[in-house]
Amino acid sequence: MTTISANLQAVLARILAAARKYGRNPDDISLLAVSKTWPAADVREAVAAGQKSFGENYVQEGIAKIAELGALGLEWHFIGPLQSNKTRQVAEVFDWVHSVDRLKIAERLSAQRPDALEPLQICLQVNVSGETSKSGVLLDEVKLLARQVATLPRLKLRGLMAIPAPIEEFVLQRKAFRRLRAIFEQLKSDGLLLDTLSMGMSHDLEAAIAEGSSMVRVGTAIFGVRNKS
Ligand SMILES: *Cc1c(COP(=O)(O)O)cnc(C)c1O
C-alpha cells in the first residue's frame, strides 16, 4: 500500500468513526481530496485507491491536472479564491465551484458555462469567522446572494461552504460550523433545494461532521504537508 492510499484509508476511517459517534449516516458524507500543489501522479495514486473527487485552488494548476487526467472520469471541484478574469477557464472545465461569494462571479460563471456541459454545481462560500477571514459572503448577506444565484440558468446552487479561522478547541470548531449549518437550514426552510454543506478539513473534520457536514475537503491528511513557499 502506498502512503497516499494508507492516508486515504485513515481519513475514511476518521469519517466513519465521526459519523458513528455523532449519529450520522456515513453515506451522507463525501470526501473531497484536495490535491492542490501535488502532482498528477499523486492524484493517480489516490484514484488507484478508489478516490474520484478532487479539489483544486489555483486555476492554472487545476486546468493542467484536469487536462492530464481527463480520461479518468474524475469530478473536479474548484475551491480557491476566484477572480473575474479567471471565471471562463473554471466554467469550462470544472464540475463544481465552492468559493462563490459575489453575484458578479456567479453571473460570469453562468454566462460562460458551455451548453454542452451539465450546469456548474455551486456552493456559496460564507464567512463564519467575521473579521479574521477575508473571503466569503457575510452571514447577513447569504440569503440574498443565494436567491440570486439560484435563478442563474447554467448554475445549480447546491449549498454552502466555509473555511473557519483555524482553532484548536473542538467546542469552538463546532460553534463556527454550527453557524453555517443554521443558515443552511434557514435557506432550505425558505424553499431552496440545497443538499451540500461543504465543511471540515484535515484538522477539524470531526467537528464538521458533528455539525452536519455533507462534504469534507481534506488535503494534508491525504497527500502530506504542503510546501509553504
Ligand atoms: C487547502 C484547502 C483545504 C484542505 O486543507 P487541509 O488542511 O490540507 O486538509 C480545504 N478547503 C480549502 C478551501 C482549501 O483551500
Side-chain angles (χ1 to χ4, degrees):
M1 198 150 68
T2 68
T3 307
I4 288 173
S5 74
N7 289 347
L8 195 55
Q9 296 318 309
V11 168
L12 291 169
R14 280 175 66 189
I15 294 171
L16 202 60
R20 289 222 178 88
K21 181 162 183 185
Y22 299 104
R24 303 279 318 279
N25 181 346
D27 296 340
D28 294 340
I29 306 159
S30 63
L31 171 62
L32 182 67
V34 177
S35 45
K36 67 182 177 205
T37 78
W38 299 106
D42 288 357
V43 174
R44 283 186 198 279
E45 278 192 40
V47 173
Q51 180 65 26
K52 292 197 162 57
S53 305
F54 293 88
E56 289 286 335
N57 281 56
Y58 310 105
V59 176
Q60 299 310 329
E61 180 193 340
I63 285 177
K65 249 176 260 180
I66 293 169
E68 186 169 345
L69 301 168
L72 299 178
L74 305 175
E75 190 176 271
W76 292 96
H77 296 234
F78 188 79
I79 61 174
L82 184 51
Q83 290 156 0
S84 47
N85 62 348
K86 299 277 174 64
T87 52
R88 180 177 299 280
Q89 291 164 287
V90 168
E92 285 179 352
V93 300
F94 281 86
D95 302 294
W96 285 67
V97 178
H98 292 227
S99 44
V100 171
D101 61 1
R102 288 178 284 151
L103 182 59
K104 181 184 172 196
I105 295 290
E107 287 174 339
R108 290 177 65 91
L109 289 170
S110 180
Q112 293 165 345
R113 181 66 167 174
D115 285 333
L117 300 179
E118 295 272 296
L120 193 56
Q121 311 295 303
I122 300 292
C123 290
L124 302 181
Q125 183 175 347
V126 179
N127 179 346
V128 291
S129 303
E131 286 170 16
T132 48
S133 159
K134 278 176 236 96
S135 36
V137 58
L138 295 172
L139 276 171
D140 54 11
E141 296 167 2
V142 179
K143 267 193 184 184
L144 176 60
L145 183 61
R147 272 204 297 271
Q148 292 168 326
V149 170
T151 67
L152 295 172
R154 300 292 295 136
L155 305 185
K156 183 164 174 51
L157 181 62
R158 297 291 296 271
L160 304 177
M161 181 274 251
I163 313 171
I167 22 175
E168 292 281 319
E169 299 83 359
F170 188 73
V171 174
L172 297 180
Q173 291 175 352
R174 282 190 68 158
K175 213 169 160 186
F177 292 132
R178 199 174 309 142
R179 285 198 282 274
L180 191 69
R181 190 209 187 132
I183 188 93
F184 179 72
E185 298 297 344
Q186 274 180 38
L187 294 175
K188 287 201 297 182
S189 59
D190 288 351
L192 289 174
L193 298 172
L194 306 179
D195 62 7
T196 304
L197 251 185
S198 167
M199 58 188 201
M201 316 201 308
S202 293
H203 68 288
D204 58 11
L205 69 87
E206 284 83 3
I209 288 170
E211 293 298 339
S213 172
S214 70
M215 195 184 293
V216 293
R217 309 177 310 271
V218 179
T220 307
I222 297 172
F223 296 106
V225 176
R226 288 178 295 275
N227 194 335
K228 286 260 162 59
S229 66

